[in-house]
Amino acid sequence: MKLNRITSSLINKQHKSNPALISAAALILMTSSTLAAQESENTSATADKNIEVIEVKGILNSMKAAAMLKRTDGRIVDAVVAEDIGKLPDNNIAEALQRITGVSINSDFGVGDSVSIRGLPQNRVELNGRSTIGDSRDGISLQDFPSSFLKTVEVVKSPTADMIEGALGGTVSLRTVRPLELDKLTAAMSLDAEYADKTENVAPIFSGSVGNNWDFDEMGTFGAIAMFSYQDREIRQDETSSRVKPQDIVINAQEGNTPSGNAIVRDEHSIEQYVEKRERTAVNLSLQWAPHSGNGMVYLDLSGTKRSGEQAGNSILGVAGSLSTDANTTQDANGVNNYTLTNEFGIPKTYSDFRDTDSFSNALGAEWSLTDSIKISGEVAVASSESIRPDSEFTLRPIEKSTFEASGGVDLVNHLYDGAFSQDGNRLPSIIHSDPTAFTNPQNLALRTFKSEDRKTNNDETAVRFDIEMFEPLSSANWISKVKAGVRATKRDYEYEQYKVEIKDIYKNAINDSDGSLATLWADDYNALFPGSFTTMSHDNSFNQLGHSGQNDLLTFLTYNGLSNPSNTYAQLQQLLAGTNLASTGSLHDNQEFQESAYKNVVEDTAAIYISAYLDFDSVTAIVGARYVTTDLESSVYQNGVKVTGENDYTDFLPSLNVTYNYSDETLFRFAAAKVMRRADFSELSPAFDVNNDRTGATQGAIDLEPYRATQYDLSVEHYFDEGNVLSFALFYKDVKSFLSNESTCVASSTTAALQNVTQWNQVCQLDTAGVSQDNMVYSDATNYPVDADGFNHVAGLRDAGLTGIDTVKNINGENGSVQGFEVGYQQFFTSLPGAFSGLGINANYTYADSEQPNGNPLLDISENTYNLQVFWEYEGFSTRLAYNYRDGFLSTENEKRVENINSNGSISQDGTVYGNNYRDDRGQLDFSASWDINENFTLVGNATNLTGEPSIYLSELGGAWKYTEADRRYSLGIRAKF
């Protein structure tokens, strides 16, 4: 691939603000041809003399090209450039972006999924300058779009008026190759085998592209590029966690080791392990035509992605145990250690949950130069995402079959055990049960609940834009190099539906029609009729990154094998429950009921008008402009069977300024200021009452929510030296207004008495008066009921009397918050060194960010310190790269249920303090890649992700670990070809 590079002389003296040359500098070609910058006739000859060509192939030239993009843009921008056609530096877009200053990523099963820019996750993901669509407002998941389709990925941190509004942190701009950038038939392909070390699975990753253009003389030039990508992957995530709560107890004559003197007790230990099989198929077709005159072009872009697969998981949970200590019991940073939970019982659950998505982004557009000084352009874009998320659960209950039969089918007695807990540092705890078969004996595990939901999301957007550019519009003011103006209108339609069937508490609710006796069923009864349905499971390589403190009996359990086909499971249960009061007819689909309370429909119309002026004062250039946006919203829900619609509208005026001062040929100073906005997500805009399966919690949005609004300032200096070397420093500040915050209400519901599960009784809110909702949140806790069984019985009694409610979190507009910090970047190639050492290079950056939101917490997802270090070597067809990424701890979630009783000093129910903060601990990750050019057409490539196998550790407000997760190390080996 080739990138046009503009010399510093040209940048500083002739075309500092000229977008045509900036575009030329950013143009990545799939072939080795040169594309000269196309400008007005009186400047093109001069420009051609000053354009050099960088062969964008390999690590060094990729980074040089990225530095050039940063240097020649009038905004504050960082970029990642493909090392060759179909080869970003990382195989995942998000994982490539985490190398950029100020960018951190969020992962799903250890795979990069989305990014935060300067700590803010509310960003836009665009494809060739237009919207991408996913299940929310964030755009397409970055793991759903193939990195092999891209020539560049830019992160724009300081917006201009012509950019689409909606990015609070920044805009991720994905760019593909255009057909007319080719000068001959070009084809490329890659085939990789990826190995995941937990599942020990090898899966293929394939991508291919072919493109050409044809000169038809007077009829113009036509070009086409087709791209295809396929990925198959089987990966696993291991997770273990405990509920954490303070108790006013003494441990071996020592008070608790918290500031309040309370001890931290961990119970309700769980293991959750999920195996995900996912397939991703993506296609991209780009057609382009330009007239013989070269005055414009017309294009058609068609892009589609399909994601499918399944996720099978197990949740193994022990509940209701009472703390028993002895002389060996101690306390450490994580809480009480070396103790026993007596009279626990187990709740094994099998899950199946996956998101199947079909999405596309299509556009028809054109641009045309009416004269040498006037260019117009327009585009119609349609984007859509349809997702179906089947979510099924099969839960067992530890009921002793022998006791039930001995009582003549009357007594339902929980099978109890004692669990001895100990932990060595942050290794996987040792949990040894007095009955090692507590989670595997099918005669002590009765069928409890089967649930199957289909969650459907449709998200569509149609966008129309028109732009006009006038070059040197005023002869008397030649310092105005260009004026750009335009309009854009969109229509967005978001709809969420949920369908559900549930057979609840089979072990106690199933009654034989013949004699009214209990029709309780056990796992061995199921296996007798459908052999092999329940089997014992113990995964290989479990928690091999954390290491083990000793034996852990939660790692071996009974699992149900049929949830990937919930329709078949439902049919089997129908056979088992025939002749009982739970008998049913029809298929699973026939029996799934539409969940009115969960329905959401948001229709959003926006209109925007903008104007920008590009100013040139010799050594100082500027882009100044403003964007005016209107938003009209309609949000619909069902109430008592009737669809009800609410409305809201608001306007935003968004000025922006980007100034560049060319201090010398090597050094630039930049200043930027802007107002930005981000509309609330669709789920936040809907007043739908979305209740969890236990009927203990719910969420609810509001149509009248105002958007996030922020004023931001940036100041940076960039020094470029030799070829592609750069040292940069940037200060940033964002004042975020109208933060969204939450308020909780205990909502009375007629469904709680029959359907509410109070196993986790300390999370169930209580009502003063039956049937009357209240803002005052009342709970029972371990202070009142130190014995778990007593707390359960108390809250169960309140539930039966109608005195429990649903803890409902509502979104409201809050107060202001801020984020500020600085970034340092350094990149150097040691080409002056002799021989093979000339291939050495380094790329490093550091970001410091400080933030605060109205409740005193930092913003979610912001690490105070983040740094990246890449050391690479490339010489005579060989290349290697080691990349290390580090983030220190950050606030991951608020109001986290398993640590909701923990504040900063370990006190119980202390007013004026924040409870439930969940932090992810410091984490670093080492990745490796290497390649060898076999010849000019074939390259052998290899990659390793998370080479050292780093787990993620989550901490409470007191700094004690309560949750640990790990995902696969991933290794790939493949071959790339280009013709």
Side-chain angles (χ1 to χ4, degrees):
M1 293 191 306
K2 292 193 174 181
L3 177 77
N4 295 323
R5 182 170 66 83
I6 305 171
T7 63
S8 60
S9 172
L10 183 62
I11 297 169
N12 292 324
K13 295 180 180 178
Q14 289 189 310
H15 301 286
K16 295 184 288 292
S17 304
N18 196 303
L21 281 196
I22 290 174
S23 298
L27 188 59
I28 308 296
L29 298 188
M30 294 175 65
T31 71
S32 60
S33 64
T34 302
L35 181 67
Q38 298 298 313
E39 300 190 277
S40 59
E41 292 180 2
N42 62 331
T43 61
S44 61
T46 305
D48 289 345
K49 295 178 182 178
N50 289 279
I51 295 175
E52 299 177 37
V53 174
I54 293 176
E55 178 73 18
V56 183
K57 183 174 182 180
I59 300 174
L60 272 69
N61 285 325
S62 166
M63 290 187 172
K64 290 177 182 178
M68 190 200 335
L69 287 174
K70 179 180 179 70
R71 183 177 188 177
T72 56
D73 204 300
R75 305 161 299 180
I76 296 177
V77 169
D78 287 285
V80 176
V81 175
E83 295 171 10
D84 203 343
I85 177 176
K87 180 62 176 79
L88 279 185
D90 293 84
N91 289 333
N92 173 279
I93 297 171
E95 290 165 9
L97 289 176
Q98 71 178 330
R99 319 294 178 198
I100 288 178
T101 54
V103 176
S104 54
I105 70 170
N106 299 306
S107 297
D108 176 34
F109 279 69
V111 179
D113 182 66
S114 61
V115 299
S116 293
I117 301 174
R118 292 173 170 173
L120 295 170
Q122 298 89 0
N123 305 303
R124 279 186 56 81
V125 178
E126 297 180 355
L127 178 62
N128 294 325
R130 54 183 172 271
S131 297
T132 61
I133 300 293
D135 284 353
S136 66
R137 202 180 284 282
D138 294 329
I140 193 169
S141 164
L142 293 179
Q143 63 175 308
D144 286 357
F145 196 87
S147 63
S148 60
F149 285 6
L150 303 177
K151 64 178 182 181
T152 60
V153 184
E154 295 179 337
V155 175
V156 183
K157 301 174 183 177
S158 65
T160 50
D162 60 325
M163 293 177 60
I164 303 171
E165 75 283 349
L168 201 62
T171 296
V172 177
S173 177
L174 313 177
R175 297 284 177 180
T176 60
V177 178
R178 286 292 193 187
L180 294 187
E181 296 170 10
L182 306 176
D183 67 348
K184 59 184 177 181
L185 176 64
T186 302
M189 60 79 64
S190 66
L191 179 62
D192 296 85
E194 183 183 68
Y195 172 78
D197 74 333
K198 282 189 173 292
T199 59
E200 299 182 349
N201 181 71
V202 178
I205 305 173
F206 172 81
S207 66
S209 62
V210 60
N212 198 6
N213 60 56
W214 300 268
D215 187 348
F216 295 108
D217 296 325
E218 296 298 325
M219 295 178 63
T221 303
F222 175 78
I225 295 176
M227 300 178 179
F228 174 80
S229 175
Y230 173 79
Q231 181 183 70
D232 188 10
R233 175 178 277 164
E234 182 176 323
I235 50 181
R236 194 177 85 226
Q237 178 173 284
D238 296 344
E239 177 178 305
T240 181
S241 67
S242 303
R243 184 179 69 170
V244 184
K245 58 184 180 182
Q247 285 190 225
D248 185 10
I249 56 175
V250 174
I251 304 296
N252 290 326
Q254 297 291 323
E255 67 175 10
N257 62 349
T258 66
S260 66
N262 292 323
I264 299 301
V265 176
R266 291 170 286 173
D267 64 1
E268 295 192 1
H269 308 301
S270 74
I271 296 284
E272 296 190 2
Q273 294 178 286
Y274 299 90
V275 176
E276 183 172 283
K277 299 177 182 178
R278 60 173 76 165
E279 289 184 84
R280 184 196 66 198
T281 305
V283 295
N284 188 82
L285 176 65
S286 182
L287 308 176
Q288 194 176 16
W289 172 82
H292 182 68
S293 65
N295 289 333
M297 62 95 173
V298 179
Y299 60 88
L300 174 66
D301 290 342
L302 306 172
S303 179
T305 301
K306 180 177 178 61
R307 181 183 190 264
S308 60
E310 62 178 287
Q311 184 187 110
N314 296 89
S315 171
I316 310 304
L317 172 67
V319 299
S322 298
L323 178 67
S324 175
T325 63
D326 58 28
N328 295 318
T329 302
T330 60
Q331 298 181 73
D332 57 27
N334 294 337
V336 177
N337 201 356
N338 302 310
Y339 60 89
T340 298
L341 293 173
T342 61
N343 295 324
E344 274 195 309
F345 63 86
I347 302 179
K349 181 183 295 185
T350 302
Y351 286 102
S352 179
D353 180 12
F354 192 78
R355 171 176 58 86
D356 287 321
T357 300
D358 284 307
S359 64
F360 67 81
S361 176
N362 301 334
L364 175 65
E367 61 181 49
W368 208 268
S369 295
L370 300 179
T371 68
D372 289 346
S373 59
I374 299 177
K375 183 173 75 173
I376 60 172
S377 62
E379 181 182 83
V380 177
V382 179
S384 177
S385 173
E386 295 183 4
S387 291
I388 299 178
R389 187 168 185 167
D391 179 3
S392 300
E393 299 177 7
F394 204 152
T395 309
L396 303 178
R397 179 80 179 192
I399 303 297
E400 296 179 348
K401 189 174 188 179
S402 59
T403 303
F404 177 80
E405 291 176 341
S407 67
V410 175
D411 293 339
L412 299 174
V413 177
N414 287 327
H415 181 71
L416 305 179
Y417 59 86
D418 297 340
F421 177 98
S422 63
Q423 186 178 22
D424 179 8
N426 276 324
R427 294 175 177 270
L428 178 72
S430 171
I431 300 176
I432 301 175
H433 295 153
S434 57
D435 177 7
T437 69
F439 285 89
T440 59
N441 186 348
Q443 293 198 357
N444 284 332
L445 293 169
L447 308 188
R448 181 183 180 184
T449 297
F450 169 78
K451 183 201 75 167
S452 183
E453 293 179 331
D454 281 343
R455 304 173 183 179
K456 301 180 180 180
T457 303
N458 291 325
N459 195 0
D460 304 315
E461 182 186 82
T462 301
V464 180
R465 68 166 180 84
F466 177 80
D467 304 275
I468 183 169
E469 297 175 71
M470 293 176 287
F471 302 95
E472 299 181 354
L474 299 175
S475 58
S476 60
N478 57 11
W479 46 272
I480 303 177
S481 61
K482 184 178 74 170
V483 172
K484 185 177 181 181
V487 295
R488 181 176 184 265
T490 70
K491 186 175 187 64
R492 178 74 73 94
D493 192 341
Y494 169 90
E495 186 175 49
Y496 173 84
E497 297 177 328
Q498 188 171 315
Y499 298 84
K500 176 180 175 181
V501 63
E502 183 174 23
I503 309 174
K504 194 174 181 68
D505 290 334
I506 298 170
Y507 73 99
K508 65 178 181 181
N509 288 340
I511 305 297
N512 286 308
D513 293 336
S514 58
D515 57 8
S517 63
L518 286 170
T520 308
L521 296 166
W522 277 261
D524 63 340
D525 299 323
Y526 203 114
N527 276 347
L529 191 57
F530 306 105
S533 295
F534 286 93
T535 57
T536 299
M537 168 71 74
S538 182
H539 287 289
D540 294 332
N541 309 313
S542 292
F543 298 96
N544 55 349
Q545 297 169 13
L546 282 173
H548 292 217
S549 300
Q551 175 182 332
N552 190 309
D553 287 340
L554 294 177
L555 293 174
T556 304
F557 47 85
L558 201 67
T559 184
Y560 176 70
N561 298 310
L563 271 192
S564 60
N565 187 349
S567 294
N568 186 58
T569 301
Y570 188 76
Q572 291 175 349
L573 283 169
Q574 285 179 310
Q575 292 185 52
L576 286 163
L577 294 171
T580 75
N581 61 321
L582 298 182
S584 64
T585 59
S587 66
L588 174 74
H589 178 75
D590 296 335
N591 285 277
Q592 283 183 325
E593 296 182 355
F594 176 62
Q595 304 296 295
E596 284 191 356
S597 65
Y599 177 81
K600 304 177 182 71
N601 181 214
V602 178
V603 177
E604 178 181 273
D605 294 320
T606 73
I609 184 171
Y610 77 89
I611 186 169
S612 292
Y614 292 69
L615 312 180
D616 186 345
F617 301 98
D618 195 16
S619 61
V620 177
T621 61
I623 307 172
V624 58
R627 189 176 186 92
Y628 180 77
V629 188
T630 65
T631 304
D632 294 286
L633 291 164
E634 291 184 354
S635 181
S636 300
V637 296
Y638 279 98
Q639 294 181 357
N640 300 318
V642 179
K643 195 173 183 179
V644 178
T645 300
E647 298 180 352
N648 189 26
D649 63 81
Y650 48 82
T651 61
D652 287 274
F653 179 70
L654 307 172
S656 61
L657 173 67
N658 286 267
V659 180
T660 302
Y661 169 48
N662 297 279
Y663 175 76
S664 68
D665 286 352
E666 294 79 27
T667 304
L668 308 175
F669 289 88
R670 300 185 192 269
F671 172 76
K675 286 190 173 182
V676 295
M677 60 88 76
R678 164 72 171 210
R679 300 175 183 93
D681 205 355
F682 302 111
S683 60
E684 296 167 334
L685 289 170
S686 173
F689 192 59
D690 196 358
V691 186
N692 67 13
N693 194 48
D694 287 337
R695 298 274 167 173
T696 58
T699 58
Q700 191 171 28
I703 181 62
D704 58 352
L705 287 177
E706 292 290 308
Y708 296 90
R709 294 186 173 100
T711 303
Q712 64 179 49
Y713 302 94
D714 297 88
L715 181 64
S716 70
V717 57
E718 301 163 12
H719 178 66
Y720 299 86
F721 56 102
D722 296 332
E723 188 177 351
N725 301 333
V726 60
L727 178 65
S728 64
F729 177 81
L731 295 168
F732 60 88
Y733 174 79
K734 288 181 184 283
D735 179 16
V736 184
K737 300 183 184 298
S738 61
F739 259 107
L740 294 187
S741 60
N742 298 325
E743 64 178 12
S744 292
T745 303
C746 192
V747 174
S749 171
S750 59
T751 65
T752 54
L755 300 176
Q756 191 174 62
N757 177 9
V758 298
T759 300
Q760 295 179 300
W761 52 271
N762 65 326
Q763 299 175 13
V764 179
C765 66
Q766 300 169 17
L767 300 170
D768 295 335
T769 304
V772 179
S773 301
Q774 63 188 52
D775 294 332
N776 183 33
M777 305 300 290
V778 178
Y779 302 89
S780 296
D781 56 37
T783 304
N784 311 110
Y785 300 96
V787 177
D788 197 275
D790 293 340
F792 173 86
N793 291 332
H794 170 71
V795 175
L798 293 176
R799 175 200 60 195
D800 296 342
L803 291 172
T804 60
I806 299 174
D807 183 350
T808 303
V809 178
K810 297 182 179 180
N811 296 306
I812 61 172
N813 283 114
E815 302 174 23
N816 297 358
S818 64
V819 55
Q820 53 275 325
F822 64 86
E823 302 169 344
V824 182
Y826 167 62
Q827 177 174 290
Q828 185 166 4
F829 312 103
F830 301 100
T831 52
S832 60
L833 294 177
F837 293 102
S838 64
L840 287 171
I842 187 172
N843 179 285
N845 60 68
Y846 167 79
T847 302
Y848 171 82
D850 179 46
S851 65
E852 185 176 4
Q853 54 177 314
N855 64 0
N857 280 340
L859 291 175
L860 296 177
D861 242 7
I862 293 187
S863 292
E864 191 171 80
N865 301 286
T866 304
Y867 65 83
N868 291 279
L869 176 64
Q870 297 184 77
V871 179
F872 48 89
W873 175 78
E874 188 171 59
Y875 187 72
E876 294 186 350
F878 291 91
S879 68
T880 61
R881 181 190 63 150
L882 274 173
Y884 184 74
N885 170 265
Y886 171 86
R887 297 182 65 184
D888 63 10
F890 60 88
L891 181 61
S892 179
T893 57
E894 297 174 294
N895 303 311
E896 182 69 44
K897 287 296 185 183
R898 305 216 87 188
V899 292
E900 68 177 356
N901 295 304
I902 303 298
N903 67 353
S904 59
N905 59 16
S907 59
I908 300 171
S909 302
Q910 180 183 2
D911 292 335
T913 61
V914 177
Y915 284 82
N917 283 349
N918 167 38
Y919 298 86
R920 202 198 75 179
D921 200 7
D922 307 350
R923 184 178 184 274
Q925 179 170 307
L926 182 66
D927 302 326
F928 173 77
S929 63
S931 68
W932 171 47
D933 293 335
I934 301 171
N935 55 40
E936 65 179 8
N937 297 116
F938 293 94
T939 301
L940 187 67
V941 296
N943 294 275
T945 303
N946 195 14
L947 191 62
T948 55
E950 299 296 329
S952 295
I953 301 174
Y954 293 84
L955 311 175
S956 72
E957 185 68 43
L958 285 169
W962 70 276
K963 183 172 76 168
Y964 307 84
T965 65
E966 330 181 322
D968 298 81
R969 296 180 183 91
R970 305 194 313 277
Y971 306 90
S972 66
L973 181 66
I975 191 165
R976 301 186 186 278
K978 176 183 173 183
F979 304 96

